[in-house]
Amino acid sequence: MIDQPQIGQPISRLEGRAKVTGTAKYAGEYNVDGLLYGYVVNSTITKGKITQIDTSAAKEIEGVIEVFTHENRPSLAWFDMQYSDMDAPPGSPFRPLQNAEIKYNGQPIALVVAETFELARYAASILKVSYEEESFATDLYQNQDKGRDPKVGMATFLKPLPPKPKGDFEKEYAASVAQVSAEYVHGTEHHNPMELFATTTIYEGDGKVTIYDKTQGTVNCQLYVGNIFGLHFKNVRVISPYVGGAFGSGLRPQYQLFMSVMAALELKRAVRVTLDRHQMYTFGHRPPTVQQLNFGADENGVVNAIKHTAIAETSQHEDYTEVVVNWSNILYPAKNTKLEYQLVPLDVYSPLDMRAPGGSTASHAIESTMDALAFKLSIDPVQFRLINYADMDVAENRPFSSKELKQCYIQGAERFGWSKRNPELRSMRRGNKLIGYGMATGFWESMTIPARAEAVLTKEGKLRVSSAVTDIGTGTLTVMTQIAADELGLPLEDVQFNYGDSKMPFAPIQGGSFTVSTVGSAIKSAGKALRKKILKKAREMDNSPFKNADDNDISFERGGISLNSNPAVMVFFKEIIAASGNKEIKTTNMSVPNVFKLKKYTRAAHSAAFVEVEIDEELGTIQVTRAVTAVAAGNIINPKTARSQILGGMVWGISKALYEETISDHRFGKYMNQNLAEYHIPVHADIHELDVIFVEEKDEIVNELGSKGVGEIGLVAMAPAIANAIFHATGKRINHLPIHFDELI
Ligand code: MOS
């Protein structure tokens, strides 16, 4: 008898109780005696120089310990080191307090350290800063002519630049029976995870620090701190206990980490720096983009000509890139293509990955264009996707490792009731409300990267697995415990997964939807190695029943090893441990994906979103009343936590389509709505029926688990599906996001 595998079970998150009862401690909640509090001061100008910072009044206040500025900061080991973190784009990274130069509005320019947070914040408010201002540019739309090709960087293999043009786009487009030419404009979006960025640095003496940080990568922050402050890596321990949402904002070390460590090392005391909500708008964002698409199709609805141009914002100091235009031709197999991606450096902070970076930007443009083309040709939007279905990735000329997108269309349409859609615009109503049905396709690359894991069979015969990986709220702890449990056939309660500590075996940053595949694969290889060791020990036991047993006849189950051919033959792990000197059995293994095999395939998760909107005909108010997302993401390790990921993505999609935007005043180069009152996001009353389907998808290529990751895919198709539904309901096609009710009146 084999225990039911844990993989595939809808297990509730193991840390759920700790989180809802408030016993889960976050980075800004670690208290030690003598803890000091830092408060950051941010620049109020956009570009220029600090001519003077008068800190004297602040320093006179009792309880204020120090004010750090560019004038008295310690000289640091590697102020200009380029790749000091794993997610750094090419360029020259920004370091707080480096010099008097101001590169963007909100730039951290000082840190006030005091005995209480309130005191630090008050003292920060009375610093007198004088500036010499220079002219600047922050408006992407007005500066599109300054677009240029991006620099190629370390991560270009993960974020490839567009492929070369193919065929003859101009000729084919001109000859098309139906053409759509449209511009899509996206504004800036800022990260607003519930938990604010916080770091508590404990000074341990002798240049040694223990750091509690809100991050998506403990090892990444360890490398960063070691590099920047010139510390031995072994003297830097980064612990990321619980993370209250991150979504990409914690892929790069944020500046509160720098500030907290700097102050702790200088003052030789424990220092906590927590950013406030306003300051969450000062360290990176989803970049604004302008996209121009020209798609042409023949009389049968076959898309033959695709042109997709994207112009995106970056900072003056780094070239942040996303994969935007490449998706057009991966999704739709046209032979004549022209794909271009350019950057405009502006006087802003470097953009930062935000859930489905590039993919959610691309999908809105591609899937709105496809919807417009289907309408022109009087073909049903789902049918139109099926006519143009890519069985192979013609852009890279290789097959997909698996692709059940067709099933997403079919099952999603069925569940939603797509067949009830009247194709005519403004034809469906409910009272004084116009009803619209819209759909769109989603896609996200499925990556697996190297990682390590340790697996230990404890003296009690239980399994302990560890990895430095974080759990940013996605369910990593639960899912990794499930994967580990199956390796030894143990129930969940006999498995402990330790994580979130740079001291543990290496894990890369948690993001890109690659954590389950990456760390899960590492756990699988550690598990395999551990089984081998356990079996070896079992065979060495006196009168071992396994001495001559074939490997295939062995099962790991019920807390021990048994023979398939005779299940009555059973030795418990505890007995094996006792027989081998009562010592733990331990292994640490690295998993490295087979890139030579993998690069023969395009590996991606797919989705189809179906959305119903209800629009008040007089007021223009928009409600997403129903949505179904069908997802093909390979093997789903935990359908419950995976579903939550998709639901979260769908809510974000509604937010992206209808609410979210950071408003800039380009006269001042400044974001104007740096708070949750004016930065709109949906609330409970805005979210109605959401439904998720995971379609069956077997993938033996992508990784050993056959799992593609679900972190981003839930978001990708939602915004275009909503925009398309609004078109169906009203006959108005609004191609910039977010779409507001006043545009529909
Ligand atoms: Mo995600 S943008 O990789 O956290």
Side-chain angles (χ1 to χ4, degrees), residues 64 87 172 247 250 273 368 559 614 623 647 677 736:
V64 172
D87 201 35
E172 202 60 39
F247 311 105
V273 179
S368 298
E614 201 180 82
Q623 293 273 346
L647 289 176
H736 54 257

Side-chain angles (χ1 to χ4, degrees), residues 356-502:
S360 59
T361 309
S363 68
H364 171 236
I366 298 167
E367 291 299 287
S368 298
T369 304
M370 286 295 283
D371 195 71
L373 207 43
F375 181 75
K376 273 203 171 169
L377 289 156
S378 300
I379 300 176
D380 174 80
V382 176
Q383 186 56 31
F384 189 51
R385 265 68 171 191
L386 294 173
I387 292 170
N388 289 286
Y389 195 80
D391 288 307
M392 111 144 224
D393 174 357
V394 301
E396 292 284 347
N397 193 29
R398 60 188 182 186
F400 291 96
S401 64
S402 63
K403 183 183 174 185
E404 296 295 344
L405 173 59
K406 211 171 265 177
Q407 279 304 316
C408 295
Y409 292 136
I410 293 167
Q411 293 179 32
E414 171 67 30
R415 177 81 60 93
F416 180 82
W418 183 256
S419 61
K420 298 192 187 77
R421 180 180 187 264
N422 181 338
E424 209 172 307
L425 304 180
R426 303 178 66 86
S427 63
M428 294 171 71
R429 281 169 186 275
R430 203 178 283 143
N432 67 337
K433 307 270 174 62
L434 291 163
I435 302 294
Y437 285 5
M439 60 79 59
T441 315
F443 39 80
W444 187 254
E445 203 185 341
S446 307
M447 293 172 273
T448 305
I449 49 184
R452 290 172 74 84
E454 181 187 80
V456 179
L457 185 66
T458 68
K459 288 182 197 169
E460 294 73 39
K462 297 184 177 184
L463 176 61
R464 190 173 71 235
V465 181
S466 55
S467 159
V469 71
T470 51
D471 182 340
I472 56 175
T474 46
T476 308
L477 162 64
T478 313
V479 168
M480 294 306 149
T481 307
Q482 289 175 265
I483 294 170
D486 282 355
E487 288 302 304
L488 293 192
L490 287 169
L492 283 188
E493 55 271 24
D494 287 345
V495 181
Q496 188 186 341
F497 179 59
N498 295 334
Y499 65 100
D501 186 338
S502 64

Side-chain angles (χ1 to χ4, degrees), residues 709-727:
V710 290
E712 339 261 339
I713 188 68
L715 166 59
V716 181
M718 279 299 283
I722 293 168
N724 295 341
I726 290 173
F727 173 70

Side-chain angles (χ1 to χ4, degrees), residues 216 247-248 251 353-357 510-512 712:
Q216 289 174 254
F247 311 105
L251 289 172
D353 287 330
M354 184 186 281
R355 205 169 196 178
Q510 174 171 29
E712 339 261 339

